[in-house]
Amino acid sequence: MRRIRYIVIHCSAGQPTSTMAGVRAHWAKLGWDRPGYHKMILADGEVLELSKDERFTYGAKGFNANSIHICYMGGVDKDGKTPKDTRTPAQKATMEQLVKEYMLKYPKAQILGHKDFKGVKKACPSFEVKDWLKEIHLA
Ligand SMILES: [Zn+2]
């Protein structure tokens, strides 16, 4: 049984319309033998289960053994490089629901964005998780 300490929010660092095939091709290029996240939230709010919670995924180096990784498709502006919160209302609703489910399953876990880990030099997930949790009254 894994001890879950972190529920980590990510973006795919692409467009909301990016495909899962593209994300998987990227992982294959990195030589990964498993997914980067447990759940992927598509632009229409649909959730793809990429991994069972019992298995670790590659979302945040150094923290994966104790993390659940949730990702939304998007996170970058149309210029292809500027970090931007591109979450659709459907993605936000699904993300809220997933976070609530995981809070029940792992009541002691901390919810944070990928960039909130010390030493991470990424903009992921392109918004402040702390502020969003306040907005939806979960913090
Ligand atoms: Zn990330």
Side-chain angles (χ1 to χ4, degrees):
M1 190 68 175
R2 295 202 302 136
R3 184 154 158 209
I4 301 304
R5 294 189 174 154
Y6 309 106
I7 311 294
V8 191
I9 310 292
H10 298 264
C11 65
S12 67
Q15 303 297 313
T17 51
S18 300
T19 63
M20 201 50 229
V23 174
R24 286 190 191 279
H26 176 66
W27 292 341
K29 227 180 275 171
L30 295 172
W32 290 6
D33 61 357
R34 60 181 71 208
Y37 318 108
H38 292 85
K39 310 275 191 190
M40 174 65 79
I41 307 171
L42 301 178
D44 65 0
E46 187 194 346
V47 184
L48 304 180
E49 183 181 62
L50 306 180
S51 172
K52 296 283 177 204
D53 294 347
E54 289 70 31
R55 289 170 57 86
F56 75 83
T57 60
Y58 286 141
K61 208 174 180 178
F63 301 96
N64 292 323
N66 305 105
S67 295
I68 291 287
H69 297 294
I70 301 172
C71 181
Y72 73 95
M73 197 66 89
V76 169
D77 205 354
K78 287 190 180 71
D79 65 6
K81 57 183 183 201
T82 309
K84 187 185 174 188
D85 183 358
T86 61
R87 288 176 300 164
T88 63
Q91 278 175 315
K92 284 188 182 181
T94 299
M95 189 178 280
E96 179 175 341
Q97 188 191 326
L98 274 179
V99 165
K100 283 178 174 166
E101 284 171 20
Y102 277 124
M103 284 172 86
L104 290 175
K105 191 171 177 185
Y106 305 109
K108 288 183 178 162
Q110 191 184 347
I111 302 150
L112 74 184
H114 187 181
K115 70 186 175 74
D116 298 329
F117 282 119
K118 211 175 159 191
V120 173
K121 290 186 179 65
K122 292 179 177 199
C124 180
S126 300
F127 69 95
E128 294 297 332
V129 170
K130 247 191 298 136
D131 296 344
W132 174 65
L133 289 175
K134 272 185 210 151
E135 206 180 292
I136 60 173
H137 310 291
L138 289 181

